[in-house]
Amino acid sequence: LPELRAQPGVAAVLLANGAWRDRPLQLPGVEALLGKGFVYQNPFVYWFNHYEEPGYDGPRFRVEQGAIVVGGGLASVDVGKIINLELYKNALAERGLAISMVELEHMGIPKALAAHGLTPEQLGIEGATIYYRRRVQDMPIAFPKNGSAEQQQKTERVREKMVQILEQKYLLRVKDCHIPVATLSDGERLCGLRFRKSQLEDGKLKEIVGSDYDVPSRLVVSSIGSVPEPLPTVPTRGELYDYSDESTGALRGLPGVFGLGNVLTGKGNIHDSRDNARDISEGVIASYLGLTDVREADPFAQAHAARRAELEPLVARAALAPKATPEQLQAFFSRVFARWQELDYAGDYRAWIERHRPR
């Protein structure tokens, strides 16, 4: 980053590097059990997407029955689905029945089994369970379009319906109002978790004293969110980067450097990240280039204009830097092209994705 900022003509740098590091699960001793029955969601999902590819040399995991997924968002749902789809695909393969993962997901597990004259009960598989600290209607798997009470109630009903569909189509169980409080181990590997029940009182989450109980499992996947990777010279506050103004993404002590999307919000849902990235990038570009009327026809033009007004003084300072000469720009782009070559990227994103498509 310091080298980029020192390049002549670079007026602003936008950090859009996302949040790829798993938020640590705050349980005593759990990190010592990493890879011994305990795993975080990002390496687990990466394994699932790539393990069938020739030459794959990344982490490998064994999907176990009765797996525990700690979380409650969309990523947690993906993890639970992965576990159950793998379990049932493997069980069918053992009976000599080949079914693709895509077909199994699109049909749903019960219908796919019925097509082969089978029922879930016949296979006797204990699938995954998501344990969420709040209520089902609080799960961040659907998001209100506005802040009205009516919209909030509608979103809560949608969340409850989505959980019902998960249970019916993918046999994925969800237990709400459960907080993990301790690990269970045999001294060498994780054997489960101890949970404490919770409840909402006046909008605040309260733990229920005396409600602890143990859930045995040989696989626990933590899916409680992702945070940005630490970068040298980028100030941090806790697990996130330190912003002097979160509404603009301006980083503290780094003039002309802005964060956007997941790296700023710390949220795992694409909806919020896309909105945030659009607002900030448009604000920076419009302010720097003077395109203040670029969104006049947009119904949200007033909101965008307000965001640009917040950004203008920040970007104006960055714009005072001397403009790059053609030779300096060529040197800068040469660095970019060299990096592309390292990644076997020729500038055509769709073609690159087609060559590197996960299964």
Side-chain angles (χ1 to χ4, degrees):
L1 183 59
E3 191 175 350
L4 283 175
R5 294 181 65 217
Q7 293 289 313
V10 175
V13 177
L14 304 184
L15 296 181
N17 47 304
W20 295 99
R21 184 166 59 99
D22 287 281
R23 189 184 299 277
L25 182 62
Q26 300 295 333
L27 286 180
V30 72
E31 296 296 332
L33 298 168
L34 193 61
K36 303 173 183 177
F38 174 65
V39 62
Y40 282 108
Q41 68 177 23
N42 283 329
F44 184 78
V45 174
Y46 183 86
W47 159 79
F48 172 75
N49 282 335
H50 296 283
Y51 77 81
E52 289 184 337
E53 297 173 4
Y56 172 74
D57 60 355
R60 295 189 177 274
F61 303 101
R62 176 183 173 86
V63 174
E64 303 278 1
Q65 295 197 46
I68 292 172
V69 181
V70 179
L74 291 170
S76 307
V77 169
D78 282 341
V79 169
K81 285 175 57 181
I82 286 171
I83 293 169
N84 282 10
L85 292 171
E86 282 282 322
L87 287 172
Y88 281 93
K89 187 196 74 168
N90 294 341
L92 288 170
E94 291 175 359
R95 291 172 173 250
L97 302 173
I99 182 169
S100 72
M101 188 66 68
V102 172
E103 183 182 1
L104 191 59
E105 181 179 16
H106 286 184
M107 293 181 66
I109 293 172
K111 286 186 178 180
L113 296 181
H116 294 284
L118 296 169
T119 65
E121 292 74 21
Q122 285 177 293
L123 295 183
I125 289 176
E126 183 184 0
T129 302
I130 295 175
Y131 288 83
Y132 180 50
R133 61 191 294 111
R134 294 182 176 272
R135 306 171 304 170
V136 162
Q137 52 265 50
D138 301 318
M139 294 177 68
I141 54 177
F143 307 95
K145 296 179 180 179
N146 56 58
S148 68
E150 180 181 359
Q151 181 62 50
Q152 184 62 40
Q153 291 174 359
K154 181 178 179 180
T155 302
E156 290 181 358
R157 292 193 296 269
V158 170
R159 290 166 176 164
E160 292 172 339
K161 180 63 175 178
M162 290 176 70
V163 168
Q164 291 174 8
I165 293 173
L166 288 172
E167 293 173 339
Q168 295 166 3
K169 189 172 182 179
Y170 301 110
L171 308 181
L172 179 59
R173 298 185 296 273
V174 176
K175 286 187 176 291
D176 61 356
C177 297
H178 277 70
I179 300 174
V181 293
T183 59
L184 308 175
S185 73
D186 59 8
E188 293 185 359
R189 61 168 286 120
L190 191 71
C191 297
L193 293 179
R194 178 168 297 156
F195 286 94
R196 181 173 299 155
K197 295 183 180 180
S198 64
Q199 61 185 11
L200 281 180
E201 293 182 5
D202 299 326
K204 295 183 178 179
L205 192 66
K206 301 286 186 180
E207 298 183 9
I208 301 175
V209 178
S211 63
D212 295 14
Y213 72 102
D214 295 345
V215 179
S217 177
R218 291 184 59 81
L219 176 62
V220 173
V221 183
S222 177
S223 181
I224 59 174
S226 299
V227 293
E229 294 279 1
L231 291 178
T233 76
V234 173
T236 58
R237 182 172 56 190
E239 296 171 337
L240 303 177
Y241 295 165
D242 188 8
Y243 297 95
S244 58
D245 186 347
E246 293 194 5
S247 67
T248 64
L251 277 147
R252 192 180 307 279
L254 294 177
V257 180
F258 304 87
L260 54 82
N262 272 16
V263 79
L264 170 60
T265 66
K267 296 180 179 179
N269 74 78
I270 292 175
H271 180 272
D272 282 358
S273 297
R274 283 172 62 93
D275 284 353
N276 175 269
R278 182 188 64 241
D279 287 348
I280 290 182
S281 59
E282 286 182 356
V284 170
I285 293 170
S287 178
Y288 178 57
L289 298 179
L291 304 179
T292 52
D293 59 347
V294 71
R295 302 278 295 182
E296 280 185 356
D298 194 302
F300 300 104
Q302 186 174 356
H304 287 293
R307 180 58 54 83
R308 284 194 291 271
E310 295 172 348
L311 285 164
E312 280 175 358
L314 296 168
V315 180
R317 288 199 298 268
L320 292 176
K323 298 296 185 289
T325 65
E327 293 76 14
Q328 290 168 336
L329 285 174
Q330 184 59 48
F332 184 81
F333 286 123
S334 294
R335 291 166 51 86
V336 174
F337 297 147
R339 178 62 176 155
W340 285 6
Q341 289 182 341
E342 293 177 17
L343 300 175
D344 186 30
Y345 179 64
D348 186 335
Y349 180 74
R350 293 184 182 276
W352 185 87
I353 277 293
E354 198 60 40
R355 296 198 307 273
H356 297 81
R357 184 182 297 275
R359 71 190 183 94

